[in-house]
Amino acid sequence: KQEVTQIPAALSVPEGENLVLNCSFTDSAIYNLQWFRQDPGKGLTSLLLIQSSQREQTSGRLNASLDKSSGRSTLYIAASQPGDSATYLCAVTWEAAGNKLTFGGGTRVLVKP
Amino acid sequence: GAGVSQSPSNKVTEKGKDVELRCDPISGHTALYWYRQSLGQGLEFLIYFQGNSAPDKSGLPSDRFSAERTGGSVSTLTIQRTQQEDSAVYLCASSLRLQRLDGNTIYFGEGSWLTVV
């Protein structure tokens, strides 16, 4: 069964620390992997998209890496700020699953001032 | 419009009633997706559209759920004879093209919060 797992489910860090969020997936035959942010009561905002042929993507303080062979992706957020507090979701589009994204359960992040 | 628009934003309905949820995707986006987010279940895929056709309905939980898309734009998700377990946030998303074609950015609406009492 194709699954996406995010551990830990929740994370609390002091402001200024770097955040490291993990995502693992069971099948390496993927089209792409995406990281999203969700604020309470809101929809999802796409942060970074990594194609299967890429190893990483960067946007500002965010960097996401992809290791298909080991079925892992990591989202790094440098110098965290209270405004980074949100739930971060990882989603995979698998080759065999057509066009649907399969989401992990998310990591709820709290950055304390 | 500027983003994906969903209505109603909140809906409370009695068990057994039918509900319709509407999604207005970003103009020009050919791909449209419906997801459901409920407590303890995470985000579940329901259905996607390419234009007006729905090649993959595998995520619809039962035959009480149906969806259509007309004119390659607005989509409606209909839940008949609602049950309490249907209570969830129903999220719509759109993208310029299908994910497997070129992995383009997918944009989500803020969701329709459905409560069945």
Side-chain angles (χ1 to χ4, degrees):
Chain A
K1 184 181 176 184
Q2 293 169 326
E3 291 182 336
V4 181
T5 303
Q6 292 184 251
I7 296 172
L11 186 60
S12 179
V13 299
E15 183 177 1
E17 261 197 25
N18 296 331
L19 279 164
V20 180
L21 305 178
N22 299 304
C23 172
S24 61
F25 47 95
T26 54
D27 182 346
S28 62
I30 66 171
Y31 279 115
N32 57 56
L33 182 145
Q34 303 187 54
W35 283 94
F36 294 86
R37 168 184 172 139
Q38 186 174 31
D39 292 285
K42 301 291 186 182
L44 280 68
T45 301
S46 179
L47 297 173
L48 290 167
L49 183 153
I50 313 176
Q51 303 286 7
S52 63
S53 58
Q54 297 174 321
R55 299 280 296 183
E56 67 176 349
Q57 280 287 340
T58 298
S59 176
R61 294 184 295 113
L62 276 60
N63 174 277
S65 65
L66 174 65
D67 184 342
K68 274 200 321 178
S69 60
S70 65
R72 288 185 298 189
S73 176
T74 303
L75 177 66
Y76 299 90
I77 303 178
S80 62
Q81 304 168 358
D84 294 328
S85 298
T87 297
Y88 292 83
L89 295 135
C90 146
V92 170
T93 302
W94 270 293
E95 292 179 2
N99 294 281
K100 63 184 180 184
L101 278 70
T102 300
F103 285 84
T107 296
R108 191 171 65 254
V109 171
L110 175 64
V111 180
K112 295 181 285 188
Chain B
V4 178
S5 177
Q6 292 188 247
S7 62
S9 54
N10 281 285
K11 175 75 175 178
V12 179
T13 190
E14 290 181 352
K15 178 180 172 181
K17 301 276 189 177
D18 297 352
V19 296
E20 284 189 353
L21 308 176
R22 176 189 167 107
C23 173
D24 202 341
I26 293 173
S27 178
H29 280 195
T30 63
L32 185 147
Y33 311 80
W34 283 99
Y35 285 83
R36 177 168 75 172
Q37 187 172 35
S38 47
L39 280 174
Q41 296 295 323
L43 268 151
E44 304 171 78
F45 168 81
L46 297 178
I47 188 171
Y48 84 86
F49 289 88
Q50 169 60 18
N52 291 335
S53 65
D56 188 349
K57 304 180 183 179
S58 64
L60 294 177
S62 74
D63 58 8
R64 295 187 296 105
F65 287 72
S66 63
E68 65 175 14
R69 188 180 185 193
T70 55
S73 180
V74 172
S75 175
T76 303
L77 177 69
T78 301
I79 309 173
Q80 295 178 308
R81 305 180 303 281
T82 52
Q83 303 294 313
Q84 287 184 328
E85 61 261 30
D86 299 334
S87 297
V89 181
Y90 290 82
L91 290 163
C92 176
S94 71
S95 60
L96 194 57
R97 289 174 291 279
L98 292 174
Q99 290 298 294
R100 66 183 290 172
L101 290 182
D102 61 8
N104 50 107
T105 301
I106 185 168
Y107 297 87
F108 279 80
E110 295 203 345
S112 290
W113 294 66
L114 175 66
T115 303
V116 181
V117 297

